[in-house]
Amino acid sequence: VKLNGITSLYSIILQGVAGVSFQGDIALDNLQLVDGNCPSDLPFECDFDDENLCGFINDPTEKHRWIRHKGATPGTLNGPSFDHTTLTSSGYYVYVPSASSGREGEKALLVSPWNSNTNGQCLSFWYHSFGADVGSLTVYKRVLSSSQLYPLWKVNYNFGDIWNAAEITIRKTDESWAFAFESEYGVGYFGDLAIDDVTLREGFCPTLGSCSFESIDFCTWHNIRSPADQFDWLVAHGETDSAFTGPTVDHTYNDAFGYYAYIETSSPRQTNDRAILESTILMPTSSIGSCFSFWYHMYGSIGSLNIYVNGVKSKQPLWVWGLQGNQGNKWL
């Protein structure tokens, strides 16, 4: 947990809250407090809680700047209501506020620190593109030997008040390189652009929407916020807490140390309560379509598992697959 901006003496409080039954033990071990950022095994990671923007700089040759901010942006019907990292008003992100139509086409450019030469890495980030007048967000790459910016990715669409994921494979590069986020103004006051949780990791990016849960998170998926459902999906390994239901091993490694996503339906859950896990926004399918594959485990007094496709402009999701009842103690 990152601790920032504490200007007086303080203590840390660890609060354990009892659940609904005796099966609710909580344990702690190996507490440690160190100066600086929390350790990471990633080559680069930034959630913009750092007031120095993790080494990002605004290009002074552009007319506008990316601004570090927390909570909702000042306007209405545009911009995030909260950051992506914490999904609260206490976490930070960076954004470019919208402006009058007279500034259409003007830009702000946020440039990363230099990165070492690479055999291949995955640039991942979350973006928020909301508002009737929203402009474009473009990601560029540059190398040390040239001042030219090479476009890698671009979006120009009003997705609504939601954070979406993007992943870009950085191919083999034999010299120092950097990446940059460019916001270009749209046609009016309703259209803030924001980014958060920028990371680099080794290797090429998986297909957007893929997830084995081994990073102990949901990758580019997210639990939707209430009141659209009643509870959330969780990530776990080994046996679940309830007897005679759930897997004992994951599917990826077929052991008790691999991770998977599951729903815990013990009390206080009630019949027909729903937990919805939704992917980030995906590009339209090609002329030959796309295949969505997954492994599932449905063992015990099972309700149902359903798959829907939710078009950005659709009035309601389209049901495409479903299964009900006990399917046995095995991955299928």
Side-chain angles (χ1 to χ4, degrees), residues 114-115 117 141-150 173-178:
W114 290 106
N115 302 288
N117 57 309
K141 175 186 174 183
R142 64 169 295 191
V143 293
L144 188 59
S145 60
S146 172
S147 60
Q148 185 174 350
L149 295 174
Y150 301 92
T173 306
D174 293 326
E175 59 181 311
S176 296
W177 64 281

PDB file of all heavy atoms in Angstrom, residues 114-115 117 141-150 173-178:
ATOM      1  N   TRP A 114      13.145   7.509 -20.742  1.00  0.00           N
ATOM      2  CA  TRP A 114      13.782   6.603 -21.685  1.00  0.00           C
ATOM      3  C   TRP A 114      13.830   5.196 -21.105  1.00  0.00           C
ATOM      4  O   TRP A 114      14.101   5.006 -19.917  1.00  0.00           O
ATOM      5  CB  TRP A 114      15.203   7.076 -22.022  1.00  0.00           C
ATOM      6  CG  TRP A 114      15.232   8.314 -22.855  1.00  0.00           C
ATOM      7  CD1 TRP A 114      15.567   9.573 -22.440  1.00  0.00           C
ATOM      8  CD2 TRP A 114      14.896   8.427 -24.230  1.00  0.00           C
ATOM      9  NE1 TRP A 114      15.463  10.457 -23.470  1.00  0.00           N
ATOM     10  CE2 TRP A 114      15.058   9.785 -24.592  1.00  0.00           C
ATOM     11  CE3 TRP A 114      14.483   7.523 -25.208  1.00  0.00           C
ATOM     12  CZ2 TRP A 114      14.816  10.258 -25.872  1.00  0.00           C
ATOM     13  CZ3 TRP A 114      14.235   7.993 -26.488  1.00  0.00           C
ATOM     14  CH2 TRP A 114      14.400   9.331 -26.819  1.00  0.00           C
ATOM     15  N   ASN A 115      13.570   4.215 -21.957  1.00  0.00           N
ATOM     16  CA  ASN A 115      13.644   2.806 -21.575  1.00  0.00           C
ATOM     17  C   ASN A 115      14.816   2.145 -22.283  1.00  0.00           C
ATOM     18  O   ASN A 115      15.203   2.558 -23.380  1.00  0.00           O
ATOM     19  CB  ASN A 115      12.346   2.086 -21.966  1.00  0.00           C
ATOM     20  CG  ASN A 115      11.122   2.714 -21.339  1.00  0.00           C
ATOM     21  OD1 ASN A 115      10.893   2.587 -20.145  1.00  0.00           O
ATOM     22  ND2 ASN A 115      10.322   3.415 -22.153  1.00  0.00           N
ATOM     23  N   ASN A 117      17.052  -0.693 -24.336  1.00  0.00           N
ATOM     24  CA  ASN A 117      16.747  -1.515 -25.517  1.00  0.00           C
ATOM     25  C   ASN A 117      16.043  -2.801 -25.082  1.00  0.00           C
ATOM     26  O   ASN A 117      16.243  -3.294 -23.966  1.00  0.00           O
ATOM     27  CB  ASN A 117      18.016  -1.822 -26.307  1.00  0.00           C
ATOM     28  CG  ASN A 117      19.068  -2.525 -25.470  1.00  0.00           C
ATOM     29  OD1 ASN A 117      19.412  -2.079 -24.379  1.00  0.00           O
ATOM     30  ND2 ASN A 117      19.600  -3.621 -25.990  1.00  0.00           N
ATOM     31  N   LYS A 141       5.734   5.998 -30.304  1.00  0.00           N
ATOM     32  CA  LYS A 141       7.046   5.512 -29.881  1.00  0.00           C
ATOM     33  C   LYS A 141       8.111   6.383 -30.539  1.00  0.00           C
ATOM     34  O   LYS A 141       7.948   6.807 -31.684  1.00  0.00           O
ATOM     35  CB  LYS A 141       7.227   4.050 -30.299  1.00  0.00           C
ATOM     36  CG  LYS A 141       8.602   3.469 -30.005  1.00  0.00           C
ATOM     37  CD  LYS A 141       8.739   2.063 -30.598  1.00  0.00           C
ATOM     38  CE  LYS A 141      10.152   1.518 -30.433  1.00  0.00           C
ATOM     39  NZ  LYS A 141      10.324   0.196 -31.070  1.00  0.00           N
ATOM     40  N   ARG A 142       9.190   6.657 -29.799  1.00  0.00           N
ATOM     41  CA  ARG A 142      10.342   7.331 -30.399  1.00  0.00           C
ATOM     42  C   ARG A 142      11.605   6.643 -29.914  1.00  0.00           C
ATOM     43  O   ARG A 142      11.613   5.989 -28.860  1.00  0.00           O
ATOM     44  CB  ARG A 142      10.374   8.816 -30.067  1.00  0.00           C
ATOM     45  CG  ARG A 142      10.542   9.150 -28.608  1.00  0.00           C
ATOM     46  CD  ARG A 142      10.838  10.616 -28.378  1.00  0.00           C
ATOM     47  NE  ARG A 142      12.122  11.007 -28.956  1.00  0.00           N
ATOM     48  CZ  ARG A 142      12.714  12.189 -28.713  1.00  0.00           C
ATOM     49  NH1 ARG A 142      12.112  13.077 -27.939  1.00  0.00           N
ATOM     50  NH2 ARG A 142      13.880  12.480 -29.253  1.00  0.00           N
ATOM     51  N   VAL A 143      12.664   6.739 -30.698  1.00  0.00           N
ATOM     52  CA  VAL A 143      13.954   6.152 -30.325  1.00  0.00           C
ATOM     53  C   VAL A 143      14.957   7.280 -30.124  1.00  0.00           C
ATOM     54  O   VAL A 143      14.774   8.408 -30.600  1.00  0.00           O
ATOM     55  CB  VAL A 143      14.450   5.163 -31.399  1.00  0.00           C
ATOM     56  CG1 VAL A 143      13.533   3.946 -31.452  1.00  0.00           C
ATOM     57  CG2 VAL A 143      14.538   5.830 -32.771  1.00  0.00           C
ATOM     58  N   LEU A 144      16.053   6.953 -29.403  1.00  0.00           N
ATOM     59  CA  LEU A 144      17.008   7.981 -28.994  1.00  0.00           C
ATOM     60  C   LEU A 144      17.684   8.660 -30.172  1.00  0.00           C
ATOM     61  O   LEU A 144      18.021   9.847 -30.118  1.00  0.00           O
ATOM     62  CB  LEU A 144      18.064   7.344 -28.075  1.00  0.00           C
ATOM     63  CG  LEU A 144      19.044   8.283 -27.387  1.00  0.00           C
ATOM     64  CD1 LEU A 144      18.316   9.294 -26.512  1.00  0.00           C
ATOM     65  CD2 LEU A 144      20.042   7.482 -26.547  1.00  0.00           C
ATOM     66  N   SER A 145      17.874   7.914 -31.263  1.00  0.00           N
ATOM     67  CA  SER A 145      18.615   8.463 -32.406  1.00  0.00           C
ATOM     68  C   SER A 145      17.760   9.329 -33.314  1.00  0.00           C
ATOM     69  O   SER A 145      18.258   9.860 -34.306  1.00  0.00           O
ATOM     70  CB  SER A 145      19.204   7.308 -33.230  1.00  0.00           C
ATOM     71  OG  SER A 145      18.156   6.461 -33.714  1.00  0.00           O
ATOM     72  N   SER A 146      16.458   9.495 -33.008  1.00  0.00           N
ATOM     73  CA  SER A 146      15.576  10.268 -33.874  1.00  0.00           C
ATOM     74  C   SER A 146      14.540  11.010 -33.041  1.00  0.00           C
ATOM     75  O   SER A 146      14.090  10.521 -32.008  1.00  0.00           O
ATOM     76  CB  SER A 146      14.871   9.345 -34.874  1.00  0.00           C
ATOM     77  OG  SER A 146      13.884  10.040 -35.609  1.00  0.00           O
ATOM     78  N   SER A 147      14.157  12.169 -33.509  1.00  0.00           N
ATOM     79  CA  SER A 147      13.110  12.946 -32.827  1.00  0.00           C
ATOM     80  C   SER A 147      11.724  12.627 -33.385  1.00  0.00           C
ATOM     81  O   SER A 147      10.723  13.148 -32.903  1.00  0.00           O
ATOM     82  CB  SER A 147      13.384  14.446 -32.987  1.00  0.00           C
ATOM     83  OG  SER A 147      13.394  14.805 -34.372  1.00  0.00           O
ATOM     84  N   GLN A 148      11.666  11.753 -34.378  1.00  0.00           N
ATOM     85  CA  GLN A 148      10.386  11.419 -35.006  1.00  0.00           C
ATOM     86  C   GLN A 148       9.526  10.561 -34.086  1.00  0.00           C
ATOM     87  O   GLN A 148      10.022   9.677 -33.383  1.00  0.00           O
ATOM     88  CB  GLN A 148      10.621  10.689 -36.327  1.00  0.00           C
ATOM     89  CG  GLN A 148       9.348  10.406 -37.109  1.00  0.00           C
ATOM     90  CD  GLN A 148       9.620   9.805 -38.473  1.00  0.00           C
ATOM     91  OE1 GLN A 148      10.766   9.774 -38.916  1.00  0.00           O
ATOM     92  NE2 GLN A 148       8.582   9.338 -39.142  1.00  0.00           N
ATOM     93  N   LEU A 149       8.224  10.816 -34.098  1.00  0.00           N
ATOM     94  CA  LEU A 149       7.258  10.023 -33.339  1.00  0.00           C
ATOM     95  C   LEU A 149       6.588   9.025 -34.278  1.00  0.00           C
ATOM     96  O   LEU A 149       6.063   9.405 -35.324  1.00  0.00           O
ATOM     97  CB  LEU A 149       6.206  10.928 -32.697  1.00  0.00           C
ATOM     98  CG  LEU A 149       6.698  11.907 -31.623  1.00  0.00           C
ATOM     99  CD1 LEU A 149       5.569  12.827 -31.187  1.00  0.00           C
ATOM    100  CD2 LEU A 149       7.261  11.158 -30.430  1.00  0.00           C
ATOM    101  N   TYR A 150       6.580   7.746 -33.874  1.00  0.00           N
ATOM    102  CA  TYR A 150       5.973   6.698 -34.687  1.00  0.00           C
ATOM    103  C   TYR A 150       4.647   6.287 -34.045  1.00  0.00           C
ATOM    104  O   TYR A 150       4.631   5.796 -32.913  1.00  0.00           O
ATOM    105  CB  TYR A 150       6.897   5.482 -34.767  1.00  0.00           C
ATOM    106  CG  TYR A 150       8.253   5.780 -35.364  1.00  0.00           C
ATOM    107  CD1 TYR A 150       9.320   6.124 -34.541  1.00  0.00           C
ATOM    108  CD2 TYR A 150       8.460   5.717 -36.742  1.00  0.00           C
ATOM    109  CE1 TYR A 150      10.574   6.402 -35.082  1.00  0.00           C
ATOM    110  CE2 TYR A 150       9.708   5.987 -37.286  1.00  0.00           C
ATOM    111  CZ  TYR A 150      10.753   6.330 -36.453  1.00  0.00           C
ATOM    112  OH  TYR A 150      11.981   6.609 -36.992  1.00  0.00           O
ATOM    113  N   THR A 173      13.845  -3.543 -30.122  1.00  0.00           N
ATOM    114  CA  THR A 173      14.403  -2.207 -30.329  1.00  0.00           C
ATOM    115  C   THR A 173      15.828  -2.214 -29.799  1.00  0.00           C
ATOM    116  O   THR A 173      16.059  -2.513 -28.625  1.00  0.00           O
ATOM    117  CB  THR A 173      13.566  -1.139 -29.589  1.00  0.00           C
ATOM    118  OG1 THR A 173      12.192  -1.247 -29.990  1.00  0.00           O
ATOM    119  CG2 THR A 173      14.069   0.252 -29.904  1.00  0.00           C
ATOM    120  N   ASP A 174      16.800  -1.859 -30.626  1.00  0.00           N
ATOM    121  CA  ASP A 174      18.216  -1.993 -30.288  1.00  0.00           C
ATOM    122  C   ASP A 174      18.818  -0.723 -29.702  1.00  0.00           C
ATOM    123  O   ASP A 174      20.049  -0.586 -29.640  1.00  0.00           O
ATOM    124  CB  ASP A 174      19.018  -2.421 -31.525  1.00  0.00           C
ATOM    125  CG  ASP A 174      18.663  -3.833 -31.975  1.00  0.00           C
ATOM    126  OD1 ASP A 174      18.374  -4.668 -31.096  1.00  0.00           O
ATOM    127  OD2 ASP A 174      18.637  -4.081 -33.196  1.00  0.00           O
ATOM    128  N   GLU A 175      17.995   0.209 -29.299  1.00  0.00           N
ATOM    129  CA  GLU A 175      18.485   1.432 -28.653  1.00  0.00           C
ATOM    130  C   GLU A 175      17.446   1.919 -27.655  1.00  0.00           C
ATOM    131  O   GLU A 175      16.335   1.378 -27.580  1.00  0.00           O
ATOM    132  CB  GLU A 175      18.766   2.508 -29.708  1.00  0.00           C
ATOM    133  CG  GLU A 175      17.562   2.884 -30.552  1.00  0.00           C
ATOM    134  CD  GLU A 175      17.901   3.936 -31.592  1.00  0.00           C
ATOM    135  OE1 GLU A 175      18.525   4.956 -31.227  1.00  0.00           O
ATOM    136  OE2 GLU A 175      17.529   3.749 -32.769  1.00  0.00           O
ATOM    137  N   SER A 176      17.819   2.904 -26.874  1.00  0.00           N
ATOM    138  CA  SER A 176      16.881   3.454 -25.898  1.00  0.00           C
ATOM    139  C   SER A 176      15.652   4.011 -26.611  1.00  0.00           C
ATOM    140  O   SER A 176      15.761   4.557 -27.718  1.00  0.00           O
ATOM    141  CB  SER A 176      17.555   4.552 -25.074  1.00  0.00           C
ATOM    142  OG  SER A 176      18.605   4.012 -24.309  1.00  0.00           O
ATOM    143  N   TRP A 177      14.515   3.891 -25.973  1.00  0.00           N
ATOM    144  CA  TRP A 177      13.272   4.306 -26.606  1.00  0.00           C
ATOM    145  C   TRP A 177      12.324   4.850 -25.542  1.00  0.00           C
ATOM    146  O   TRP A 177      12.499   4.628 -24.339  1.00  0.00           O
ATOM    147  CB  TRP A 177      12.617   3.142 -27.351  1.00  0.00           C
ATOM    148  CG  TRP A 177      12.202   2.022 -26.442  1.00  0.00           C
ATOM    149  CD1 TRP A 177      12.998   1.045 -25.897  1.00  0.00           C
ATOM    150  CD2 TRP A 177      10.890   1.794 -25.925  1.00  0.00           C
ATOM    151  NE1 TRP A 177      12.273   0.221 -25.076  1.00  0.00           N
ATOM    152  CE2 TRP A 177      10.968   0.653 -25.077  1.00  0.00           C
ATOM    153  CE3 TRP A 177       9.654   2.419 -26.102  1.00  0.00           C
ATOM    154  CZ2 TRP A 177       9.861   0.142 -24.400  1.00  0.00           C
ATOM    155  CZ3 TRP A 177       8.546   1.910 -25.439  1.00  0.00           C
ATOM    156  CH2 TRP A 177       8.650   0.788 -24.604  1.00  0.00           C
ATOM    157  N   ALA A 178      11.323   5.567 -25.986  1.00  0.00           N
ATOM    158  CA  ALA A 178      10.309   6.136 -25.093  1.00  0.00           C
ATOM    159  C   ALA A 178       8.954   6.043 -25.777  1.00  0.00           C
ATOM    160  O   ALA A 178       8.859   5.785 -26.981  1.00  0.00           O
ATOM    161  CB  ALA A 178      10.642   7.583 -24.744  1.00  0.00           C
TER     162      ALA A 178
END
